[in-house]
Amino acid sequence: MKIGVLVGGGDAPGLNAAIKAVVSKAHEIGYDVVGIKNGWAGLLKLDTQPLSMDDVEEIHSRGGVVLYTSRTNPFKIENGPEQVIANMKKLKIDALVVMGGEDTLGVAQKLSEMNVQVVGVPKTIDNDLGGTDYSIGFDTAVAIATDAIDKLRTTAEAHHRIVIVEVMGRNTGWIALHAGLAGGANLTLIPEVPLGLNQVYGLLKYRKQNGKAYSIIVVAEGARVLKEKEQILVATEERDEFGHPRLGGISRVLEKLIEENTGLEARSVILGHLQRGGPPTAFDRILAMRLANKAVELIKEKRFGEMASFRAGNVVSVPLKEALSERKSVPPELYEMAKTFFR
Ligand code: F6P
């Protein structure tokens, strides 16, 4: 049996630990592993590398992903899926471990319907994939964002300024909410809960009147902030192969509006790709190892079309179809709890 392993979409800290675990578990069972480079692009171009235990022994603590990644979508290329299947045969790959978020695993699910033997591993710093409580990379992103908020608080306070910290999160506010809570943000803005600018101004003015001249606002890049009922959206025209625009910059718009409407001095900080960089936390490493180990077990048990998942402290599995059926949003009760700290 030969297993191919690939990663698609944005990189996430913990992926290398997951690759190590795939090789390690496969080695135990007696399977060979081949690494596919640059996500689905590697299968279209036959770009692979063998992966031995020696190759992966020291990679668990490294950020990025040794196999590289891309946002290539075979279903956007003429005969792309057929090419993937033919190349798997050429490479003598019997089954695939696919690590990704909704886009990459969406491709895996469609291929699975075409009888490709595939299993999934959830990976996205956004943590918005259904069917699992946590995805690889989220914990590290939250830790980085929390550390940034702690640092920004001292300079914000020293200068009596409003600091708006922008974090990733296209459709959901998981990073914003968790980092905002852990970092003691005075306000957190997320895509799931629309908020009018007057509420933002009101809170900042209230704090100033009550002796707090500085404030920390955390905003997700895709937050629904309303300016006279119109959502402020900072997005590029061009789309990637999965149809997503590039977001980023809402904090700059807020900085200007806050200064104009409250008279308070404001600064924006976009954390951007810093949130995906550097070594994974211990939690992400272990989560990655457990999920990847489970993925190889799923192959052994011939449970194709399933995704390893983490639920209530246990590693289980769910059909890819189920995991992809609904995006996992921040539950209203969690945001309500966070609101008790908005002051
Ligand atoms: O999908 C994860 C993510 O980090 C999003 O939060 C973000 O919007 C996007 O990727 C950024 O993508 P890129 O690395 O292509 O700029």
Side-chain angles (χ1 to χ4, degrees):
M1 182 82 151
K2 196 192 219 180
I3 298 179
V5 54
L6 71 82
V7 174
D11 68 322
L15 280 167
N16 288 326
I19 292 168
K20 177 175 172 176
V22 166
V23 176
S24 188
K25 184 67 182 170
H27 180 78
E28 184 193 86
I29 303 174
Y31 296 163
D32 289 330
V33 183
V34 60
I36 296 153
K37 291 175 163 177
N38 302 304
W40 297 111
L43 263 187
L44 292 166
K45 293 181 186 158
L46 294 167
D47 192 5
T48 63
Q49 66 176 76
L51 285 176
S52 69
M53 284 298 289
D54 274 352
D55 294 326
V56 297
E57 195 177 290
E58 281 124 24
I59 65 172
H60 54 278
S61 58
R62 276 164 57 184
V65 48
V66 293
L67 293 173
Y68 312 105
T69 183
S70 75
R71 295 195 191 274
T72 304
N73 181 356
F75 286 89
K76 281 278 162 183
I77 297 165
E78 211 184 319
N79 295 325
E82 291 75 17
Q83 192 69 48
V84 165
I85 295 169
N87 285 348
M88 275 182 72
K89 280 207 181 98
K90 246 187 227 167
L91 294 162
K92 298 193 169 38
I93 294 174
D94 303 293
L96 282 179
V97 175
V98 177
M99 303 183 182
E102 58 181 355
D103 297 334
T104 307
L105 294 181
V107 171
Q109 156 63 13
K110 284 195 210 156
L111 287 172
S112 158
E113 282 168 11
M114 296 166 80
N115 295 322
V116 175
Q117 305 198 124
V118 54
V119 297
V121 172
K123 171 272 340 169
T124 162
I125 66 160
D126 289 2
N127 202 39
D128 57 356
L129 190 66
T132 185
D133 296 347
Y134 290 103
S135 296
I136 299 169
F138 171 64
D139 186 65
T140 308
V142 170
I144 292 168
T146 303
D147 181 53
I149 295 167
D150 288 347
K151 287 171 177 153
L152 290 165
R153 174 181 300 282
T154 53
T155 174
E157 189 176 14
H159 284 266
H160 316 292
R161 281 175 180 154
I162 313 304
V163 171
I164 308 135
V165 190
E166 180 172 330
V167 298
M168 282 184 170
R170 263 189 202 133
N171 302 300
T172 59
W174 286 103
I175 300 177
L177 194 92
H178 278 230
L181 270 172
N186 304 107
L187 183 63
T188 298
L189 304 164
I190 65 172
E192 291 89 333
V193 184
L195 206 82
L197 275 168
N198 285 336
Q199 282 171 272
V200 178
Y201 305 149
L203 181 119
L204 298 176
K205 285 183 191 160
Y206 176 84
R207 277 179 59 78
K208 167 94 175 155
Q209 279 155 16
N210 287 279
K212 295 278 186 184
Y214 89 96
S215 295
I216 300 282
I217 299 178
V218 175
V219 61
E221 60 185 354
R224 276 164 69 201
V225 186
L226 309 178
K227 190 180 171 204
E228 284 138 26
K229 296 201 176 136
E230 281 284 306
Q231 185 188 338
I232 301 170
L233 188 69
V234 185
T236 54
E237 284 287 315
E238 100 257 16
R239 299 275 191 273
D240 68 17
E241 290 189 20
F242 289 91
H244 307 297
R246 207 170 336 133
L247 302 182
I250 190 169
S251 58
R252 292 220 178 91
V253 179
L254 289 176
E255 174 192 294
K256 202 159 173 283
L257 287 167
I258 287 170
E259 288 200 336
E260 281 168 11
N261 289 281
T262 66
L264 298 165
E265 197 183 354
R267 292 287 188 274
S268 56
V269 178
I270 303 177
L271 296 185
H273 295 83
L274 269 179
Q275 293 158 95
R276 300 211 307 238
T281 57
F283 180 89
D284 263 332
R285 295 179 202 192
I286 294 162
L287 176 74
M289 288 171 186
R290 292 179 71 187
L291 291 170
N293 187 279
K294 179 72 178 179
V296 179
E297 278 177 8
L298 290 175
I299 290 179
K300 191 177 169 209
E301 291 161 16
K302 301 203 178 309
R303 284 163 59 193
F304 301 112
E306 296 201 13
M307 179 185 89
S309 97
F310 186 76
R311 281 197 151 154
N314 298 309
V315 173
V316 293
S317 73
V318 287
L320 274 168
K321 205 172 181 177
E322 188 187 314
L324 294 161
S325 63
E326 210 179 332
R327 185 174 285 140
K328 189 180 70 200
S329 300
V330 170
E333 60 274 19
L334 184 54
Y335 193 72
E336 282 303 310
M337 190 281 275
K339 269 164 86 175
T340 64
F341 298 101
F342 295 171
R343 49 190 297 152

